[in-house]
Amino acid sequence: AWPRRLIPLMVDPPEHLKYRAIIASAFSPKAIDALEKDVIEVANGLIDGFAKDGQVEFMHEFARVFPGIIFMRLMGLPLDMKDQFFDWEEKFFHGGTDDDKKQVGLEIHQYLIKLIERRRRKREDDLVSRLIDSEVDGKPADDETIQDFCFFLYIAGLDTVNGGLGHIFKYLAENPKEQQWLRENPD
């Protein structure tokens, strides 16, 4: 088990809402609409990469990579390290022993501490900078809170959406009528 708090997941109401409010605007409909062009560009780029082959190992080549890249952009993680980030995520959730998972968690945590330090020196338009500038109950968020929140975002952002995409596309593969309905109703 990870020895630190996963904020906001492990914070009870009403505190939970205070922490969620810090990032809520980053996931508002308006903010998500602003990402649409980039999201479509990433999806099309990935699809173009395997369309010529006529087949794809969906989970590995799309469901994992697509939301991962979008999340990395939101979080401010460098895309040239995506293989390392995916490797850490895989080992943290699906790796060997609890000690192995804890070790990987520490590697992720150390990386995030360095990222937070870089953002303290130079803010960017990302979730890490938003957390650094956040307040809880009128006080700046402390280092532990920022680190724990970043860790939670990292593991949640790289592990949850790919599973959801897998279930959606499995459902569509098994239900041709639903596929047809989507083709006829693209909006």
Side-chain angles (χ1 to χ4, degrees):
W2 183 241
R4 298 177 60 106
R5 292 188 321 163
L6 298 176
I7 296 176
L9 182 68
M10 297 176 85
V11 179
D12 292 329
E15 270 57 55
H16 177 84
L17 293 176
K18 295 174 187 177
Y19 291 106
R20 284 199 47 181
I22 293 169
I23 61 166
S25 63
F27 298 100
S28 71
K30 182 179 179 181
I32 299 303
D33 286 348
L35 297 174
E36 183 176 15
K37 181 182 175 208
D38 287 339
V39 169
I40 291 170
E41 182 180 297
V42 170
N44 286 340
L46 291 170
I47 292 166
D48 290 346
F50 56 72
K52 64 186 173 296
D53 298 333
Q55 63 181 12
V56 63
E57 197 295 301
F58 181 78
M59 292 304 295
H60 183 74
E61 295 179 53
F62 188 83
R64 182 182 205 193
V65 180
F66 173 60
I69 289 172
I70 302 305
F71 169 74
M72 285 180 227
R73 288 181 177 181
L74 287 170
M75 189 78 172
L77 299 171
L79 294 180
D80 63 348
M81 287 185 64
K82 75 178 180 335
D83 291 338
Q84 176 65 68
F85 298 141
F86 289 141
D87 183 58
W88 280 339
E89 173 266 330
E90 180 69 25
K91 288 177 179 173
F92 185 79
F93 281 105
H94 313 289
T97 67
D98 284 347
D99 286 342
D100 295 336
K101 292 176 183 184
K102 186 182 272 188
Q103 179 58 42
V104 171
L106 292 172
E107 291 174 31
I108 295 167
H109 183 71
Q110 289 303 311
Y111 176 82
L112 292 171
I113 288 173
K114 291 175 186 172
L115 177 63
I116 292 165
E117 289 170 359
R118 286 193 305 272
R119 288 301 182 275
R120 284 195 185 283
R121 290 190 299 273
K122 183 178 184 284
R123 302 293 197 279
E124 294 191 12
D125 184 18
D126 61 26
L127 292 173
V128 175
S129 296
R130 181 181 298 244
L131 290 170
I132 290 169
D133 292 334
S134 69
E135 292 185 356
V136 178
D137 293 328
K139 298 176 188 166
D142 61 49
D143 287 343
E144 294 280 315
T145 297
I146 294 166
Q147 291 168 14
D148 292 347
F149 209 141
C150 284
F151 187 87
F152 171 71
L153 289 172
Y154 177 95
I155 61 171
L158 290 177
D159 191 65
T160 56
V161 179
N162 60 0
L165 283 174
H167 288 292
I168 290 167
F169 279 83
K170 181 180 186 295
Y171 174 82
L172 290 171
E174 294 172 346
N175 293 278
K177 288 181 182 179
E178 298 296 328
Q179 291 179 42
Q180 188 58 38
W181 185 89
L182 286 173
R183 285 186 191 98
E184 292 169 0
N185 299 283
D187 290 340

